Every structure is written in structure tokens, then in C-alpha cells.
Amino acid sequence: MNGLFVWTGFLPTRIVKGMATLGPLGYMGKAPGTNGSLAGLFWYSAFLYPIAPFPRFLLVALFIYLAVAFCGEAEKRMFKNDPKEIVLDEFVAIPVCFLGLPPLMGPQNMWLFMIGGFLLFRFYDIFKPLGINKLQDLQGSFGIVADDLGAAVCTCLTLHLANWAFSL
């Protein structure tokens, strides 16, 4: 599977690490994962939320692919296992939290969903319940991104259930 990402091996280290850490965000503060999540929330709300569902889905899939590629290569070059400075995984997982939700959000509730999704995502990402912690054990760079995607899927399901419960 590493053949899918061989192209990252030809890139300069500063570019690989810069992408994986979102520049300085991965080095700021005591909770860099929160920085990456906030950046992902702003990216989603400014650029992805306004576009149609299918192009949004394609962009999210493309960014997940790029995250797996860059995070895996950065991990090798940093000589650490899933370093906390790598925050691209949180960044790309945030949009997954809101799959299928934009029609339900509406302009008046959009920020309620966004803040709730952000807080739920951080909860699931930090505490890794429901087997999310096992996703980190996946081979290679997939484990770096998979636990964040698992947290995002749990967040998405929780938001859908909450929306359903409040609409009764």
C-alpha cells in the first residue's frame, strides 16, 4: 500500500513536515490537535460547507488521501510514532463530522452544529472510546489518520442522533 504514497518521498522535508504540521500550528501550545481541529472547522465552514454535496465529498476524500500520504512521510522523517505535532489528520477529519448534516443545519443553527461537532470531535479524539484507540494500530500512515476519522464518524453519528432526538 505504501506504493500509493511513494511520491511524498521525493518532496523536501520542510514541505512534508510543513504540510503535516500545518506550518506552525502543530508546534503551538500544549494541545496542537485542538489547533488542527479549529483550522479544519474554519476550512470546512468557509470553503466546504457552501459547496454542493458531491464536490464536497470529493474534496474531503482527496484531502484524506493527502493526509495519509503526508502524515506517514512526516512521521518517518520526524523519527517519532504519531507525533503530536502532526495535526493534518485532525484538520481533514473535521469535515467528516458533518457528513449529511448541511441540509439539517440551516443558517440559523449552523454554528450550534459546528461548535457541538467540534467539542464532540475533540472528546472522541482525546478519549478514543468505542474502539477508536484500536484504529491507531493500523499499518503505516493509515493509523495516524484512521483514529481521527473514527472520532469524526462517531461525532457525525452523535450529531445525527441528537438532531433526530430534538426533532421529535
Side-chain angles (χ1 to χ4, degrees), residues 123-124 127-135 150 154-155 157-158:
F123 169 80
Y124 286 124
F127 295 106
K128 301 187 186 327
L130 307 170
I132 294 171
N133 61 332
K134 301 251 187 264
L135 295 172
C154 288
T155 298
L157 291 172
T158 304

Side-chain angles (χ1 to χ4, degrees), residues 40-50 56 95 98 102 105 114:
L41 186 65
F42 288 120
W43 173 61
Y44 175 79
S45 61
F47 299 106
L48 294 178
Y49 176 78
R56 181 185 317 125
F98 305 109
M105 288 180 182
M114 297 284 184

Side-chain angles (χ1 to χ4, degrees), residues 7 43 55-69 92:
W7 58 271
W43 173 61
R56 181 185 317 125
F57 175 79
L58 290 178
L59 283 171
V60 169
L62 172 65
F63 272 79
I64 290 170
Y65 166 79
L66 291 172
V68 173
V92 302

